[in-house]
Amino acid sequence: MSDKPAWLKPHGKPWGVSSSQVVYDNPWITVTEYQAIAPTGRPALYGKIGFKNQAIGIVPLHEDGTVTLVGQNRFSLANYSWELPEGGAPHGEDPLDGAKRELAEEVGLQAADWRPILRMELSNSVTDEIAYGFLAMDLSPTETAPDETEDLAVVRVPFREALDAAVAGHMPDAITVALLLRTHLMAVRGELPAELATRML
């Protein structure tokens, strides 16, 4: 990681809290309502979704410059979504361990070369969800074990084709878009093996 520019510093006062109340709780999320104090000093009602898992995304990059994707029906937006392999790791678990598990469970792959490439805050105005992105290389097959609610389709496509689909809006999942762009940047900057970067680009 490079050093932070000088302008990357906090300004103003942080949010304050007068009181809070949990209004909903299940095994995956907690919704808390806050009587808050805005940085301007004004009172404000705030709701926050607290996630009980860290979000995990993996770029399974094969040596021929292809990438493995999964397709599934998503509940919240009632749509079909093509994405990178993703999942969750409980707080307290090393995100890399979660990534290894999710890659195996969803697409039946294991990797000898793992690289953390991005940390993201997802919808940080109303949630506390943190996402960790990994690049997985030197891939080999292993057993799959999808979740009992998952009906996954798996495809292997050229990296550039996946990237173009993401930036065109055909794969709008935020983790997928961010990680494909990050991996592309790594290839352009010479942070990946030269032959692999050439096949990707």
Side-chain angles (χ1 to χ4, degrees):
M1 285 286 186
S2 59
D3 293 334
K4 288 184 180 180
W7 53 265
L8 273 174
K9 60 182 181 180
H11 293 268
K13 295 180 179 179
W15 282 82
V17 174
S18 300
S19 65
S20 64
Q21 177 183 5
V22 173
V23 295
Y24 179 77
D25 184 72
N26 72 24
W28 304 279
I29 63 169
T30 298
V31 180
T32 305
E33 184 177 276
Y34 295 89
Q35 297 297 327
I37 302 168
T40 60
R42 301 286 294 180
L45 178 65
Y46 224 94
K48 183 181 78 174
I49 303 170
F51 281 79
K52 298 181 181 180
N53 288 290
Q54 307 162 96
I56 303 294
I58 308 107
V59 183
L61 184 60
H62 300 266
E63 59 185 23
D64 63 356
T66 59
V67 65
T68 294
L69 302 170
V70 298
Q72 61 184 307
N73 284 288
R74 287 295 193 183
F75 179 83
S76 296
L77 293 174
N79 65 346
Y80 197 85
S81 180
W82 282 100
E83 309 166 358
L84 291 168
E86 298 174 6
H91 292 289
E93 181 182 31
D94 185 337
L96 177 56
D97 291 336
K100 291 178 179 179
R101 181 181 61 253
E102 291 297 334
L103 184 64
E105 288 181 357
E106 291 204 347
V107 297
L109 291 172
Q110 58 189 354
D113 185 352
W114 285 93
R115 304 185 188 187
I117 59 173
L118 201 60
R119 178 184 179 276
M120 297 168 282
E121 298 176 356
L122 303 180
S123 192
N124 66 5
S125 64
V126 292
T127 86
D128 64 2
E129 189 174 25
I130 304 295
Y132 295 90
F134 294 89
L135 176 61
M137 298 186 292
D138 194 1
L139 299 164
S140 59
T142 189
E143 291 186 16
T144 60
D147 184 273
E148 63 182 11
T149 64
E150 292 178 331
D151 179 17
L152 304 178
V154 180
V155 295
R156 183 169 163 180
V157 302
F159 176 85
R160 189 56 189 252
E161 195 171 303
L163 178 66
D164 288 346
V167 298
H170 304 310
M171 291 199 301
D173 172 69
I175 292 176
T176 297
V177 175
L179 293 185
L180 290 174
L181 287 170
R182 175 70 176 107
T183 306
H184 179 261
L185 184 62
M186 292 174 71
V188 170
R189 286 180 170 176
E191 298 172 9
L192 298 177
E195 289 186 8
L196 176 58
T198 298
R199 296 186 188 113
M200 293 167 57
L201 303 175

